[in-house]
Amino acid sequence: RKDNQIERYITIHITITTILLKPTTLLRTMALIWIPVVAIVLALRASSFSPNMPCSSIRTAAPNIGGSTKLFSLIKGEAFGAEPFDENEGGVGLAKRAAIKIAGVANKGKGNGAQELVRYGKMQELDEAAVKSIMEKAECQILCSGTGKETYHDPGSSYRLEERVINLAPIEAAQNALSSIASTVTIGEDTKSVVINFLGGDELIIGEVLQACDLLVDGLDFPTKTKVVFNSVGFSAIPEDVCSVVVVASGGKAGGLEGVDESIARGELYANDGKWFTVAEGDITAN
């Protein structure tokens, strides 16, 4: 037994000596010793930040507020049996009745530009006989008019882009207007202005209107000094996929006229479904 103890002692002694003589082995041994020690220290420190209560008690019950929130005191629904909400009243009704007009100047060969945005509380429907009477007094005449409808040709299973055809309502309206010009219609030298009036639904796009203006300006023959202006009106009562255009030559004789009559004398005349419309300065709203 003593021989075995001596042999074990010598083996341990040699092992310790070997470790001390090899620095890399010593570092590895120290690392193996310190890693669990550091982990234990960090775990103890981390536990000091933990709440001294079981996890199940951290969640608190929501306050009993009777099934409502702070916003519910501001948002109120209709009471049972109350009169139904009228969409034609208040701000909703104003938005539904409002007509948005974008106006600008059309320059032949130089492009068109929007200059003004106006909102009207309503559009005025006109009596055809009254329109003719005022236009005669103001020396105005309708040069042409046309209607267009946005359509999409479904190519079916074809992936060819050229087979996907979209007809834009303002472009089609301008093309139809140009094709309807009578040979007897002339624009005299005394014409002060040519007014191009577009009327469409809420989704009338000004970019498409400007393209249609280019077609009309290039297709119409008028004196060089004639001022050409355009009006683009979007009105919720008009179907979204429909647009009409009325081109009026005005002699500029609107003196003494007011309201609707003045608008007609300036050449601001719109058409839809066989009826005539215009907007009046008195109906402009800032709200």
Side-chain angles (χ1 to χ4, degrees), residues 127-150:
D127 178 72
E128 187 173 356
V131 171
K132 291 181 178 179
S133 175
I134 295 172
M135 291 187 70
E136 288 178 0
K137 294 178 181 178
E139 297 183 2
C140 296
Q141 65 170 332
I142 296 177
L143 300 178
C144 59
S145 63
T147 303
K149 185 174 182 179
E150 184 170 317

Side-chain angles (χ1 to χ4, degrees), residues 119-185:
R119 182 167 65 183
Y120 297 86
K122 60 181 178 178
M123 292 197 75
Q124 300 273 7
E125 185 176 347
L126 305 172
D127 178 72
E128 187 173 356
V131 171
K132 291 181 178 179
S133 175
I134 295 172
M135 291 187 70
E136 288 178 0
K137 294 178 181 178
E139 297 183 2
C140 296
Q141 65 170 332
I142 296 177
L143 300 178
C144 59
S145 63
T147 303
K149 185 174 182 179
E150 184 170 317
T151 57
Y152 172 70
H153 172 69
D154 188 357
S157 60
S158 175
Y159 292 97
R160 300 177 61 183
L161 293 177
E162 58 269 24
E163 294 184 7
R164 300 181 182 183
V165 180
I166 300 177
N167 294 323
L168 302 177
I171 304 298
E172 187 175 277
Q175 293 171 342
N176 291 336
L178 289 173
S179 63
S180 70
I181 298 178
S183 58
T184 56
V185 174

Side-chain angles (χ1 to χ4, degrees), residues 253-267:
K253 296 184 178 181
L257 299 176
E258 297 179 352
V260 172
D261 295 347
E262 182 183 9
S263 298
I264 298 173
R266 290 200 315 265

Side-chain angles (χ1 to χ4, degrees), residues 26-46:
L26 177 61
L27 292 176
R28 291 176 183 175
T29 305
M30 293 178 64
L32 292 174
I33 296 173
W34 279 104
I35 286 175
V37 174
V38 173
I40 293 172
V41 172
L42 292 177
L44 292 173
R45 290 188 177 182

